[in-house]
Amino acid sequence: MVKSFKTFLKHTAKDFHNQSVNPPVVRASTIIFKSMKHIRKTQKKAQKNPVGGHYDYGRQGTSTTYILQKILTKLEGSYHVFTTPTGFGSVFLAIFSVVRPGDEIIAADPVYSPTRILTQDFLKEFNIKTIFYNPHDLKTLERSITKKTKLIFVENPGSNTFDFQDLGKIVSIAKKYKILTAIDNTWGTPYYLKPIKLGFDMSIVSATKYYSGHSDVMGGSLAVNKKVFQKVKAAEKITGLRLGPDDAYLITRGLRTLDVRLDRHRENAKKIAAFLSKNKKIKLLYPFKKNSLNFRMWKKYYSGASGLMGLKIKSNNINSVRKFVNSLKLFGYGYSWGGFESLVLHQEFRETGNRKFMNLAKDEHLVRFHIGLEDPNDLIADIKQALRHLK
Ligand SMILES: Cc1ncc(COP(=O)(O)O)c(C=O)c1O
């Protein structure tokens, strides 16, 4: 009867057995059975229905992880969702599941820098080659396809530069050449973008960010369609990349308010973007300016925007950029994002990695804001006082 996902998130996973609104944390290494017969019966059920939550060992999960997987599967509109101990674990699992020595990967140039290191450097040692494409020129993607291409790995928007890509076009190119696709959808989450429904085979979200929302847990989710399910399941089993029940509980708790928080992140970010857009030294890396390519690509696929944005600052005085960032009072300095609190980072090479298609002039500097859930007027006042230092 319940139609809206917002309502579903509030009502799901009640525990009438224990009479608690939230499900218990079930911690188990040994899953205990009443008889050997019961074990065999459960194993048969698991074979018949591999997504049905039938476990015979704690590494496969418990009811706590299963509840989270069920909620996420509904949110993604996918065949199944695997959960991993970190978001990067999901990135690794997606790639490891489908790529073998001799294969090639084509990845978006602005992928999260550890994803770049994994594909470009680490997998090279296993005779897996990665070619990077320009997110705004998909000819560079299509041109890179060879008989060996196994996977197209997208991150949308691009890490730190926030390049929005033509996702539908990427999917159709992949289908034309029968290549598998994966996307890192941490920025939008399936609340704003449902990649599996768009035709992607795999979709990753770092649950550390908006799912948990409270900056106190790490986790990842990998949504899959039926086509790749068995491959990912086999890889998950062999790597042991599974989320523990305590973290699963915290992520489920965070999901209760995902829609409320993301809507507020979006509203706050929009107000900050409107304020920043008036500053001539700043180019916003956020879908705000209506006629820009990034805005059009965002509008085409997303139903909303999250709170993470970039600022490309033009200044010949790098110390004044540093002073601007260091003068902020309400923005914490630290990695990660997606929590309730605002954060800032001055981006250096470490964050962006050795990109092929990033044209950053000497007098251009990248700053990243995560806009939290504070009163946006306070955040604007804080940015205003800090901007006095920017020369
Ligand atoms: C876009 C993106 N994907 C994946 C990850 C990795 O997630 P985790 O830190 O949970 O491993 C991050 C972390 O910052 C990220 O920004």
Side-chain angles (χ1 to χ4, degrees), residues 59 83-85 93 233-243:
R59 200 167 65 227
T83 52
T84 53
L93 183 59
K233 191 171 165 53
E236 186 216 28
K237 193 172 175 185
I238 214 72
T239 54
L241 274 172
R242 283 179 178 138
L243 185 70

Side-chain angles (χ1 to χ4, degrees), residues 223-249:
V224 299
N225 62 15
K226 208 170 176 178
K227 189 162 94 187
V228 297
F229 169 74
Q230 285 298 349
K231 276 189 194 309
V232 181
K233 191 171 165 53
E236 186 216 28
K237 193 172 175 185
I238 214 72
T239 54
L241 274 172
R242 283 179 178 138
L243 185 70
D246 287 285
D247 293 338
Y249 175 84

Side-chain angles (χ1 to χ4, degrees), residues 72-282:
L72 292 177
T73 302
K74 204 169 160 104
L75 177 56
E76 294 270 8
S78 60
Y79 180 68
H80 188 61
V81 169
F82 296 89
T83 52
T84 53
T86 64
F88 199 64
S90 284
V91 171
F92 178 81
L93 183 59
I95 296 172
F96 182 80
S97 298
V98 298
V99 174
R100 293 292 172 268
D103 290 344
E104 291 180 3
I105 302 169
I106 302 175
D109 192 47
V111 286
Y112 177 51
S113 90
T115 306
R116 188 176 195 105
I117 294 164
L118 167 66
T119 49
Q120 174 184 275
D121 305 327
F122 185 78
L123 292 180
K124 198 172 154 195
E125 293 180 32
F126 295 85
N127 189 25
I128 294 162
K129 184 178 163 192
T130 303
I131 304 154
F132 294 92
Y133 70 88
N134 182 342
H136 287 316
D137 179 6
L138 295 182
K139 282 194 204 97
T140 61
L141 188 165
E142 199 160 1
R143 270 206 304 267
S144 306
I145 293 172
T146 72
K147 281 196 177 114
K148 294 179 180 171
T149 310
K150 195 54 163 291
L151 176 70
I152 296 172
F153 192 99
V154 182
E155 182 174 322
N156 209 57
S159 237
N160 298 319
T161 40
F162 301 92
D163 330 74
F164 284 86
Q165 305 164 54
D166 196 335
L167 301 177
K169 201 162 177 194
I170 294 173
V171 168
S172 69
I173 293 171
K175 286 198 191 307
K176 183 171 147 195
Y177 293 94
K178 296 192 169 53
I179 299 165
L180 295 171
T181 44
I183 180 170
D184 186 329
N185 185 32
T186 303
W187 184 88
T189 83
Y191 181 58
Y192 288 141
L193 174 82
K194 296 194 191 307
I196 300 291
K197 290 200 160 173
L198 253 181
F200 280 88
D201 297 298
M202 295 181 275
S203 180
I204 296 142
V205 174
S206 164
T208 310
K209 313 291 190 290
Y210 290 112
Y211 283 178
S212 107
H214 291 77
S215 310
D216 55 359
V217 59
M218 300 209 67
S221 79
L222 172 57
V224 299
N225 62 15
K226 208 170 176 178
K227 189 162 94 187
V228 297
F229 169 74
Q230 285 298 349
K231 276 189 194 309
V232 181
K233 191 171 165 53
E236 186 216 28
K237 193 172 175 185
I238 214 72
T239 54
L241 274 172
R242 283 179 178 138
L243 185 70
D246 287 285
D247 293 338
Y249 175 84
L250 285 173
I251 295 164
T252 301
R253 188 168 75 165
L255 284 173
R256 298 277 193 204
T257 54
L258 178 73
D259 53 310
V260 182
R261 287 183 288 103
L262 267 174
D263 286 347
R264 177 70 181 270
H265 282 294
R266 182 193 62 202
E267 287 310 309
N268 281 5
K270 205 171 162 185
K271 283 180 185 155
I272 309 293
F275 168 74
L276 290 170
S277 68
K278 291 183 200 129
N279 192 307
K280 287 203 177 79
K281 289 194 186 82
I282 296 171

Side-chain angles (χ1 to χ4, degrees), residues 272-307:
I272 309 293
F275 168 74
L276 290 170
S277 68
K278 291 183 200 129
N279 192 307
K280 287 203 177 79
K281 289 194 186 82
I282 296 171
K283 183 177 178 235
L284 265 181
L285 306 176
Y286 192 71
F288 183 75
K289 257 200 172 158
K290 287 209 163 59
N291 47 9
S292 67
L293 174 65
N294 273 332
F295 184 89
R296 280 187 280 117
M297 284 301 128
W298 165 75
K299 185 93 186 143
K300 194 168 170 188
Y301 297 108
Y302 287 77
S303 63
S306 72

Side-chain angles (χ1 to χ4, degrees), residues 280-282 312-322 324 361-366 389-391:
K280 287 203 177 79
K281 289 194 186 82
I282 296 171
K312 195 195 262 184
I313 299 177
K314 207 167 174 61
S315 167
N316 281 315
N317 186 340
I318 188 165
N319 282 332
S320 81
V321 178
R322 290 190 181 124
F324 155 59
K362 273 213 167 118
D363 62 347
E364 289 176 331
H365 315 274
L366 291 179
H389 299 285
L390 190 61
K391 302 261 165 18

Side-chain angles (χ1 to χ4, degrees), residues 160 318 322 335 345-353 366:
N160 298 319
I318 188 165
R322 290 190 181 124
Y335 289 95
L345 279 178
H346 180 200
Q347 310 280 54
E348 313 262 359
F349 179 75
R350 188 187 135 94
E351 283 81 20
T352 49
L366 291 179

